[in-house]
Amino acid sequence: MSDPIKGSYILMESLLREGVDTIFGYPGGSIIPVFDALYDYMDKFNYLLMRHEQGAVHAAEGYARVSGKPGVCIVTSGPGATNTITGIGDAMMDSTPIIVITGQVGTASLGTDAFQEIDMVGITQPITKWACQIRSADEVADAVAKAFYISTTGRPGPVVLDFTKNAQNELAKFHHERCTYYRSYIPAPHVCPEQIKEAARLINEAQKPLAIVGQGVVLGNAENELLQFLEKADIPAASTLLGLSAMPTDFRLNKGFVGMHGNIAPNMKTNECDVLIAIGMRFDDRVTGNPNTYAQQAKIIHVDIDPAEIDKNVKTTAKVLGDAKETLAALTQAINPARHEAWIQSFEPYEQKEQETVIEKELHHEGERITMSEIVRNVSDATQREAVLVTDVGQNQMASARYFQYKHTRSIVTSGGLGTMGFGIPAAIGAKVGAPERIVCLFVGDGGFQMTIEELGTIMQSNIGVKMILLNNNYLGMVRQWQELFFHKRYSSTAMANPDFNLIANAYHIANRRVSNRSEMDEAIQDMLKDDQAYLLVVDVEENGLIYPMIPAGETVTNILTPKV
């Protein structure tokens, strides 16, 4: 384009050049010029009007997590901008690539406390990979190019572009050039042969190796490399919460997931293995419990793209820095073929214990009320493990993580590091837009559902075919569980008087049903899945249900609570 165009139009053209096809947003005064430009690009972008700016960010996260492409949202200044903070923090904690574009007052008004002025760059610098204020139209194209480069390369994460109103309206010539370098920013360390050699030596010498697989494998598109690595060395593996779909559920070396509500066998074996290989995970406290008692007997190899994670929480014996796709391929080439049959068989007693004491009781419950676990497994089975799981936060999240099953990667969307209640509905919207060909099943509690219930309006207006399974126990269930187990059953502020969720769904013209009896469950699931329209299935689950196993916060990973006989 040779003629100068407005900064707002430069933004649209830049987004197109970066491959953006979807935008989530909410307009307002300081961003009107951008939305005015967007009006002329409605045939080029799939734009979704969300009902709250936090929802716009979570939707961008959901889109990014299933599509592998960065999510984009556009909001106004002031409260519109500050409403994005929770979502930005969530994306930072979970390494999700999103671009958040916020309106801002004109540069002449900066620092005057003008109407809806807020220092968005100052607020978001600690929770973004990069935050930049655009003050003139000729800065727009370069800022967008840098934003996408920084957000999507290396360890992904959120970027904020604070777009002043004068820059939106000014004229400048448009020239777009993809960013491939940014001074002082090194996306991924070069793979070091000496690090590979040392890690391979430890793996070759191991008699009882265990791998823990994090989301870094998925973010690095290294799922095939992971399976080849595990198969060659015959290493049993478990996943973190966000890494769950990196391996198919039925992969022979997949031993479930680790952490507070993870499976007994891999948690116990963490403190029995002789070499622990952590791949694309950050040793979160929900995984390690008390770090002073975590895998003290093991030599720990940490494979990660981010040097800041090495030795941050757990002291490692050897490190392998670099992109997972490269490092896993190099490790596979360097290690010797091995078999660890006796070690793998030693998981079976723990697996049998969990099957008998927890799983059978949850999936074949004799009580009057349906359990969260059985509805999750039944929905998973009904979709032939083909669906994308989206969760909110709480008991619904942990039951879903434990009992949903996967065939494909990028099949779990959940708030891990920040644990954001209200994440579920908007993230499910984004996930369905990002993978329209797949069934998207949201499991959400009655508490989290009501935090972003307004996004039912987005589902209605944009015809988003998400399947919402509301696990209704009339409590803030996870807080109630902690109160029961650790606070002498003092149920302070956790009982909930809930509305008629089905009537609310009717108001939004969303098909719905309520199930209270187990005999109705299978028919209701089939009714929900019969087409690709939005559906709300309200399931009355047991009010006092507990999610087991459970490792109390700060305890050793082997101090696992199971149901009392």
Side-chain angles (χ1 to χ4, degrees):
M1 293 183 181
S2 57
D3 295 332
I5 58 175
K6 287 184 177 182
S8 56
Y9 281 81
I10 294 176
L11 174 64
M12 294 297 112
E13 291 292 335
S14 297
L15 293 177
L16 284 175
R17 301 305 194 281
E18 293 292 342
V20 174
D21 55 22
T22 300
I23 298 172
F24 306 92
Y26 202 93
S30 291
I31 200 70
I32 284 179
V34 167
F35 278 86
D36 184 64
L38 180 60
Y39 187 85
D40 292 329
Y41 287 78
M42 286 298 189
D43 61 334
K44 295 181 173 63
F45 295 114
N46 177 23
Y47 171 72
L48 285 86
L49 173 63
M50 304 300 291
R51 296 306 189 262
H52 192 281
E53 293 88 356
Q54 180 179 343
V57 183
H58 292 327
E61 289 184 89
Y63 173 89
R65 295 270 282 274
V66 299
S67 71
K69 299 188 292 185
V72 176
C73 65
I74 303 175
V75 303
T76 193
S77 64
T82 57
N83 281 344
T84 66
I85 299 300
T86 296
I88 293 169
D90 191 276
M92 188 66 175
M93 292 286 280
D94 287 349
S95 302
T96 304
I98 60 171
I99 314 295
V100 179
I101 300 165
T102 61
Q104 183 57 276
V105 301
T107 54
S109 299
L110 290 173
T112 68
D113 291 332
F115 178 67
Q116 292 191 337
E117 178 192 3
I118 197 78
D119 181 4
M120 195 60 181
V121 172
I123 291 171
T124 60
Q125 275 184 331
I127 55 170
T128 55
K129 286 190 73 177
W130 187 53
C132 171
Q133 188 171 82
I134 301 171
R135 297 191 177 192
S136 64
D138 58 11
E139 297 174 355
V140 177
D142 283 347
V144 172
K146 289 175 184 176
F148 277 83
Y149 175 63
I150 292 170
S151 177
T152 59
T153 55
R155 180 178 180 174
V159 165
V160 166
L161 294 178
D162 194 41
F163 202 177
T164 61
K165 199 164 186 178
N166 62 284
Q168 298 173 45
N169 286 315
E170 290 170 358
L171 298 176
K173 287 190 175 182
F174 171 67
H175 172 72
H176 179 270
E177 186 174 339
R178 278 283 181 97
C179 181
T180 58
Y181 169 78
Y182 190 58
R183 190 168 56 119
S184 79
Y185 171 61
I186 302 173
H190 292 294
V191 178
C192 173
E194 289 304 313
Q195 292 179 358
I196 295 293
K197 183 178 179 180
E198 175 61 12
R201 182 186 68 80
L202 294 174
I203 293 168
N204 289 336
E205 293 175 355
Q207 299 299 310
K208 298 184 290 183
L210 174 65
I212 299 181
V213 177
Q215 188 189 200
V217 170
V218 177
L219 295 173
N221 300 309
E223 296 89 344
N224 289 335
E225 287 78 7
L226 170 71
L227 300 185
Q228 292 167 12
F229 167 72
L230 297 175
E231 285 278 20
K232 184 175 182 179
D234 202 31
I235 299 175
S239 300
T240 65
L241 176 64
L242 296 184
L244 271 173
S245 67
M247 300 179 286
T249 302
D250 61 1
F251 175 56
R252 72 174 187 90
L253 293 169
N254 187 349
K255 296 301 178 181
F257 91 109
V258 290
M260 180 173 283
H261 292 283
N263 296 108
I264 293 176
N267 274 322
M268 295 295 291
K269 291 300 181 179
T270 298
N271 278 12
E272 295 180 27
C273 64
D274 58 2
V275 172
L276 181 67
I277 308 120
I279 307 169
M281 54 87 76
R282 59 188 178 85
F283 290 111
D284 176 76
D285 61 282
R286 284 296 190 266
V287 168
T288 65
N290 182 355
N292 295 322
T293 59
Y294 182 78
Q296 292 292 295
Q297 80 296 334
K299 296 176 181 177
I300 297 177
I301 302 168
H302 196 170
V303 183
D304 207 277
I305 199 170
D306 187 355
E309 293 298 340
I310 306 299
D311 294 329
K312 186 177 80 173
N313 296 324
V314 171
K315 184 68 176 175
T316 57
T317 308
K319 64 182 179 182
V320 177
L321 290 172
D323 181 86
K325 197 172 187 70
E326 295 181 52
T327 55
L328 284 173
L331 277 172
T332 302
Q333 188 173 8
I335 59 176
N336 300 326
R339 284 293 173 262
H340 299 103
E341 294 177 5
W343 166 239
I344 293 171
Q345 288 173 1
S346 72
F347 283 69
E348 293 179 5
Y350 293 123
E351 292 169 341
Q352 186 63 31
K353 176 184 178 182
E354 184 170 350
Q355 185 69 29
E356 294 173 355
T357 62
V358 180
I359 297 173
E360 284 296 323
K361 293 181 179 180
E362 286 292 303
L363 299 185
H364 305 288
H365 193 57
E366 297 180 356
E368 181 178 338
R369 283 287 180 91
I370 300 167
T371 68
M372 292 186 181
S373 306
E374 61 183 313
I375 186 68
V376 169
R377 177 58 61 83
N378 284 17
V379 170
S380 178
D381 289 346
T383 63
Q384 286 82 49
R385 296 183 292 164
E386 297 278 354
V388 174
L389 167 68
V390 183
T391 85
D392 206 83
V393 168
Q395 287 184 317
N396 65 88
Q397 179 184 35
M398 292 297 103
S400 301
R402 286 183 52 77
Y403 294 101
F404 209 80
Q405 298 184 322
Y406 315 94
K407 283 184 181 176
H408 308 292
T409 188
R410 294 192 178 274
S411 291
I412 180 169
V413 180
T414 191
S415 174
L418 200 59
T420 305
M421 284 184 68
F423 175 86
I425 300 177
I429 292 171
K432 184 61 178 175
V433 174
E437 75 287 355
R438 300 187 67 184
I439 299 171
V440 173
C441 295
L442 164 66
F443 288 88
V444 57
D446 41 321
F449 189 81
Q450 293 178 83
M451 283 193 169
T452 46
I453 197 170
E454 72 280 350
E455 299 304 342
L456 296 179
T458 303
I459 292 172
M460 175 184 67
Q461 181 169 345
S462 297
N463 192 28
I464 308 298
V466 295
K467 308 302 182 181
M468 298 171 281
I469 303 95
L470 172 54
L471 305 178
N472 183 23
N473 61 2
N474 298 296
Y475 272 98
L476 297 175
M478 187 57 82
V479 182
R480 183 199 176 281
Q481 174 161 337
W482 282 50
Q483 288 171 335
E484 177 168 333
L485 295 176
F486 311 120
F487 290 87
H488 310 291
K489 299 185 178 181
R490 291 162 59 87
Y491 302 124
S492 174
S493 197
T494 45
M496 299 192 76
N498 286 325
D500 188 324
F501 294 112
N502 297 95
L503 283 179
I504 293 172
N506 286 336
Y508 285 102
H509 307 293
I510 295 173
N512 63 90
R513 181 169 176 173
R514 181 177 178 179
V515 171
S516 298
N517 298 316
R518 190 168 285 105
S519 60
E520 305 173 282
M521 184 166 51
D522 290 341
E523 179 189 342
I525 292 171
Q526 292 304 318
D527 189 42
M528 175 179 69
L529 297 175
K530 68 182 179 183
D531 56 37
D532 197 37
Q533 298 301 302
Y535 198 101
L536 175 65
L537 179 59
V538 180
V539 184
D540 294 325
V541 296
E542 54 181 358
E543 290 189 349
N544 59 350
L546 302 177
I547 305 298
Y548 285 114
M550 181 181 185
I551 301 169
E555 292 281 351
T556 300
V557 292
T558 54
N559 291 351
I560 300 172
L561 302 180
T562 55
K564 295 179 180 178
V565 179

